[in-house]
Structures are given as structure tokens and as C-alpha cells.
Amino acid sequence: MPQLEFIFDFGSPNAYYAYKVLPDILARTGAELTIQPVLLGGLFKITGNQPPMVAFGSVKGKMDYEMLENRRFAEKHQLNDFRFNAHFPVNTIGLMRGLLAARELGCETQYIDVVLSAMWEQSLKMDDPEVMAAALTDGGLDAAAIMALIQTDPVKETLKANTQAAADRGAFGIPTFFVGDEMFFGKDRLGQVEEELLRAQ
């Protein structure tokens, strides 16, 4: 069974797009998905990268075109629930630590679904701990247990280590995918990801 690693942070709208279309790719390739939680801000700091709005904000037409491509992607894949978060950029350190906590508690997939919906469908301010806790509770998760684990040193250190490890492998942004040692960056590379997974069968 081929393995697909997804270097992931909730703060990227492209992570939402990619995650939503991956099930069809996994079904066609028989691949197994592993989510690797990292902190996008930390990845930027390590690699010297910048968010697109900073890096390209002064380039005439660049960000307008990026938004156009996002709308085209959403329409193609019928991602009709997507709403750009009104509070963007959102500091995701709590959310990403929460993902590691949810993994420890055995509710990783549910947590991802709940947080992606809160971030990119409900446009909630998910770097507010009270908003985050309420969203988790509304999603049927044990918010108190997750919020408690977020504060523990093992969770904090794991997120740091994951972020450094991703940078060491060549990742510089989100979404990044690995099939073995082959790296692919961006939702627009998902076709290449699928081809590589088929070769890995």
C-alpha cells in the first residue's frame, strides 16, 4: 500500500482544499494518508519563506489571480461550503497542538473535520481559546481534555520537532506532500501526487 504524507497546518486555505479532495485520490490509488502536523509560521521562520500576501502583495494582479485560481479549484471540486476566514491570518499554534492532542485521544479525524469547518466554512476566530473550545464542543469533541493536553510539554515539543523535521526534508510551505522521498508542494500538484502514488503501488 503506497503511503502519502501530508505536511499540514489549518492556517492555509489550500490545506482545506487539498484535504477535501484527497479522499478520491486515496480511493483511486489505495494509498494510506498520514497527517504530519507542523506550525506554518515556524516553517516560514526556519526557511525564510513568507505568506503569499506578504511576498506577492505588491505584485500587480498576482493576488487577484491567486483568488481566481482558488475559486476555479473550489468550483471544479464542488467545495461549495468554503468561505475565506474573515480573521485571516489566524495564529494556529493552539490548533496544531490540539491536533496532536486529538491524535493522542484517538479523535484525530473528527478533530480535523471540526476545525477545518470552523476555520474555512464558519469563518470563526480559531486563535481565540474560548471560540476554539466552543467549536470543539459543538463538534462533539472533549474540548476540556484537548485544551488541557495542548498545554503539556510533550505536545509542544512534538510540534516543534515536526516543524523542524519537515523543513529538514525540504518543506517550506503548506500543503506539502511526500510520497517516499518525492516532495510535491501545493494543491495544484495533486495530479502529480496521484501519479506518484500509482507508481508506488
Side-chain angles (χ1 to χ4, degrees), residues 16-90:
Y16 171 94
Y17 288 134
Y19 187 80
K20 291 294 184 178
V21 303
L22 276 178
D24 287 343
I25 294 174
L26 299 175
R28 288 192 295 266
T29 61
E32 182 177 41
L33 176 65
T34 300
I35 299 288
Q36 296 291 4
V38 305
L39 185 63
L40 180 55
L43 197 57
F44 281 166
K45 185 175 181 180
I46 293 167
T47 62
N49 196 5
Q50 294 179 314
M53 287 182 176
V54 175
F56 305 117
S58 63
V59 179
K60 186 177 185 302
K62 171 71 173 175
M63 294 314 300
D64 288 340
Y65 183 76
E66 290 293 322
M67 292 299 182
L68 173 61
E69 283 292 277
N70 285 344
R71 288 195 299 272
R72 287 172 173 167
F73 189 93
E75 289 171 4
K76 177 181 178 180
H77 297 284
Q78 298 182 329
L79 302 177
N80 302 320
D81 293 329
F82 178 84
R83 292 170 56 199
F84 195 84
N85 194 293
H87 307 285
F88 186 86
V90 173

Side-chain angles (χ1 to χ4, degrees), residues 68-158:
L68 173 61
E69 283 292 277
N70 285 344
R71 288 195 299 272
R72 287 172 173 167
F73 189 93
E75 289 171 4
K76 177 181 178 180
H77 297 284
Q78 298 182 329
L79 302 177
N80 302 320
D81 293 329
F82 178 84
R83 292 170 56 199
F84 195 84
N85 194 293
H87 307 285
F88 186 86
V90 173
N91 184 330
T92 58
I93 191 166
L95 295 175
M96 297 315 300
R97 289 174 177 170
L99 177 51
L100 290 166
R103 177 174 291 175
E104 188 171 330
L105 294 168
C107 55
E108 175 180 352
T109 299
Q110 183 182 1
Y111 180 90
I112 291 172
D113 290 340
V114 167
V115 175
L116 283 177
S117 174
M119 274 284 294
W120 299 113
E121 296 173 359
Q122 302 171 55
S123 195
L124 299 180
K125 185 173 171 52
M126 291 295 283
D127 51 5
D128 181 325
E130 291 185 4
V131 174
M132 177 181 171
L136 297 182
T137 299
D138 290 346
L141 292 159
D142 186 342
I146 291 171
M147 301 301 277
L149 276 174
I150 284 173
Q151 304 303 322
T152 62
D153 287 339
V155 164
K156 294 177 180 180
E157 292 305 315
T158 297

